[in-house]
Amino acid sequence: MSCPQCREGFILPGEPEGEMVKVGATDAYLHRASEPTSSRAVVLLTDIFGLPLKNSKILADKISTRLGCDVWVPDLFNGRPPLDIYDLEGIIPEKPGQKITFIARLKFLWLALRRGLGFYRSRRAVVDPRTESFVRKLREEKKYGKIGAVGYCFGGSLGLRLANKDVFDSLVICHPGKTPVELVKQIKIPTSWACAEDDMGFKTDQRHAAEATLAERKGKPDFTEYEFKDYKGTVHGFAARPRLEDPDAKAGFEGALEQTVAWFERTLS
């Protein structure tokens, strides 16, 4: 199951400008580069709300426009994401330091029971091979020179699990869910991490353990480039579902987007 804060968020303004296409057996949203190029592309790995939440499509549009490359958003959940954006409305704190109330915990427990089948359908044994197959098919058909991935929440953890499988050339991880140190040790590609100040999915001790694990590889044959950036006043989900009327959340969202673009400019060139 994804971390609880993945289920609360806010919808970005604007409307998607891309199109739905199919790659192999997987449906995907595509924002094409204004000028066709095969030198690089980006795959956006969504949060638990999947393609029905337009935020991922709008983010894909922004990244595609800034980088001048195709950006793909595969349907990780085969048309049935485990949660809807409003499932946890009013349950999860919106600012660092806020506590989850007892009533909110009961509501979450009830939601988990109601949505259990959806989480089972979206387990890693199903989603990981589906995503890997999509990207490999994309390479085969489109002949991209390099493919980067940016993952948000559920998608951040998914990207981490694929970071040792020669699927992507570079990865941006935004406020991921479960992040075992064992997986961090296996990373084979450059990674950039956008971290919230208060994150129930990627707690402070986990964040520091991940950075320390990568730092231990400096000067060794298995070293990979990395960076960590922390955004003050933010909570889990800020890079994908920001509360834009909050100055800290807005600054974090914009900062994470800039971080993503800058990372891919450097590592996918």
Side-chain angles (χ1 to χ4, degrees):
M1 183 182 298
S2 66
C3 49
Q5 279 177 301
C6 279
R7 308 175 181 86
E8 171 82 346
F10 298 87
I11 299 174
L12 292 174
E15 294 299 328
E17 300 172 351
E19 61 187 301
M20 292 299 300
V21 298
K22 187 177 283 289
V23 177
T26 303
D27 291 323
Y29 175 82
L30 166 64
H31 189 281
R32 300 181 188 274
S34 56
E35 296 184 6
T37 177
S38 62
S39 63
R40 62 185 179 185
V42 170
V43 174
L44 191 153
L45 305 173
T46 70
D47 57 21
I48 201 73
F49 306 112
L51 283 175
L53 178 61
K54 69 177 181 177
N55 288 25
S56 294
K57 299 173 184 175
I58 290 173
L59 280 165
D61 294 352
K62 292 178 181 292
I63 295 170
S64 174
T65 300
R66 293 285 301 279
L67 287 173
C69 70
D70 296 343
V71 176
W72 299 79
V73 190
D75 180 2
L76 303 179
F77 308 112
N78 198 28
R80 296 186 293 179
L83 291 173
D84 180 87
I85 184 66
Y86 298 111
D87 273 337
L88 282 194
E89 187 174 9
I91 295 178
I92 301 301
E94 298 175 356
K95 296 286 291 182
Q98 291 181 353
K99 303 297 183 182
I100 300 177
T101 67
F102 177 71
I103 297 299
R105 292 180 185 277
L106 289 179
K107 289 181 179 178
F108 174 70
L109 178 60
W110 173 238
L111 177 65
L113 291 172
R114 288 192 294 114
R115 297 289 194 174
L117 179 59
F119 288 118
Y120 179 74
R121 286 197 306 260
S122 305
R123 64 194 186 280
R124 59 185 296 178
V126 174
V127 174
D128 290 18
R130 177 184 293 148
T131 306
E132 182 175 351
S133 175
F134 169 84
V135 180
R136 295 195 187 283
K137 188 70 173 178
L138 202 61
R139 283 190 188 273
E140 177 186 336
E141 292 186 355
K142 303 299 180 181
K143 310 299 183 184
Y144 292 121
K146 290 186 177 182
I147 297 180
V150 53
Y152 300 86
C153 311
F154 179 97
S157 297
L158 169 60
L160 176 62
R161 295 195 299 269
L162 297 180
N164 69 336
K165 296 183 178 296
D166 300 315
V167 178
F168 301 113
D169 298 289
S170 181
L171 174 64
V172 177
I173 300 172
C174 299
H175 42 71
K178 190 174 182 180
T179 312
V181 170
E182 291 73 19
L183 282 179
V184 178
K185 290 179 179 179
Q186 298 174 29
I187 289 173
K188 296 170 63 175
I189 56 177
T191 53
S192 177
W193 304 66
C195 309
E197 177 182 339
D198 187 0
D199 193 332
M200 292 177 63
F202 189 43
K203 295 181 179 180
T204 302
D205 58 341
Q206 296 174 314
R207 176 249 182 269
H208 289 305
E211 184 172 14
T213 299
L214 291 171
E216 289 174 356
R217 293 159 58 173
K218 288 182 178 178
K220 300 179 180 179
D222 63 347
F223 174 75
T224 56
E225 184 181 2
Y226 70 90
E227 67 175 8
F228 284 75
K229 294 189 177 182
D230 302 292
Y231 293 91
K232 183 176 176 57
T234 61
V235 295
H236 186 88
F238 75 91
R241 305 177 308 281
R243 190 161 59 95
L244 291 176
E245 62 269 26
D246 182 307
D248 287 334
K250 184 174 186 292
F253 169 73
E254 293 172 348
L257 180 60
E258 292 295 326
Q259 177 182 342
T260 299
V261 171
W263 186 253
F264 288 142
E265 284 283 22
R266 184 161 74 251
T267 59
L268 297 181
S269 60

